[in-house]
Amino acid sequence: MREEDLNARHKTKMQKIKAARDRMMAEKKREKKGLVIVHTGNGKGKSSSAFGMIMRCIAHGMPCGVVQFIKGTWVTGEKEFLRKHFANECKFVVSGEGFTWDTQDRERDIAAARAGWEEAKAMIKDPNMSLVVLDEINIALRYDYLPILEVVEFLVTEKPEMTHVVLTGRNAKPELIEIADLVTEMTEVKHPFREQGIVAQKGVEF
């Protein structure tokens, strides 16, 4: 088939797709609301995606915040970057003392998670906040460091209408998935640690 014929066929196809999309968008309510967003699954990218949303908010002049559960002892690139360059635009709170297998102290883990949740509630209820990331809170919920029903009830009844909240971490509980507006499950296909024994590296994992 000649190149001009391929181009003409492509244009016709794209015109049909655009017409179908225009019809679909015309039928939508197009209403805005603050979303409850969950990033879960065994694959890499849950926190990375959430911090990408933080960058978007900063670029749009939208105040935002992060409460980081579990990863407390890690010197993460996102924490260093945001605190050093965007402390006014993004409030960054660390509540965890490290991964659960490092702390090995359930009472301390529960206390740290509770302190982080109190910070998170205050941040979410702040009328100036546009988006709040609760990084790795799903891990705290998985181990019952926080009551899932308390978190769900707060998000349903007390979150301001236009505030977005992103909750990350593996094994999101069904109760959270049920009330979320957007849920993405990261699927692991290959991982350098499992395939080659390569440990977490700066700039990739943290």
Side-chain angles (χ1 to χ4, degrees), residues 10-196:
H10 176 79
K11 183 175 181 179
T12 300
K13 182 179 179 180
M14 292 301 108
Q15 287 173 337
K16 289 180 179 178
I17 292 173
K18 184 179 186 308
R21 181 166 180 80
D22 288 346
R23 287 194 300 271
M24 179 188 72
M25 295 304 293
E27 294 170 359
K28 299 296 182 182
K29 293 180 180 179
R30 306 292 290 275
E31 292 179 356
K32 294 181 179 180
K33 63 168 286 190
L35 302 177
V36 175
I37 300 170
V38 175
H39 294 164
T40 192
N42 291 333
K44 174 177 160 38
K46 298 175 288 291
S47 296
S48 300
S49 178
F51 282 107
M53 297 175 75
I54 289 288
M55 295 299 104
R56 289 175 181 164
C57 285
I58 291 173
H60 288 299
M62 300 165 62
C64 51
V66 177
V67 179
Q68 198 162 56
F69 295 80
I70 308 299
K71 292 178 181 175
T73 57
W74 275 38
V75 181
T76 63
E78 55 265 25
K79 178 174 68 177
E80 296 301 299
F81 178 74
L82 290 170
R83 283 184 168 177
K84 183 175 180 180
H85 299 288
F86 295 103
N88 294 328
E89 293 84 356
C90 180
K91 183 177 181 181
F92 202 116
V93 173
V94 175
S95 71
E97 297 186 75
F99 291 102
T100 52
W101 55 83
D102 288 326
T103 62
Q104 301 177 16
D105 189 326
R106 183 172 178 273
E107 289 186 356
R108 279 175 57 188
D109 289 339
I110 290 173
R114 171 55 59 183
W117 176 233
E118 294 303 318
E119 290 270 10
K121 289 192 291 184
M123 204 179 288
I124 291 167
K125 292 175 76 172
D126 182 343
N128 295 316
M129 282 288 178
S130 296
L131 180 143
V132 178
V133 170
L134 307 182
D135 189 37
E136 301 292 1
I137 191 173
N138 288 339
I139 305 301
L141 292 169
R142 174 189 178 186
Y143 287 111
D144 297 319
Y145 296 162
L146 295 170
I148 181 61
L149 294 182
E150 177 185 341
V151 173
V152 165
E153 182 178 5
F154 175 85
L155 293 173
V156 171
T157 64
E158 298 192 52
K159 180 186 77 65
E161 183 179 3
M162 294 308 297
T163 303
H164 305 296
V165 179
V166 185
L167 305 95
T168 77
R170 298 183 179 202
N171 303 113
K173 293 219 171 184
E175 297 92 334
L176 180 60
I177 291 174
E178 177 66 26
I179 62 101
D181 300 290
L182 173 61
V183 180
T184 299
E185 183 172 6
M186 312 295 186
T187 301
E188 181 179 304
V189 178
K190 292 180 70 175
H191 196 288
F193 180 74
R194 287 180 173 81
E195 300 288 329
Q196 305 171 60

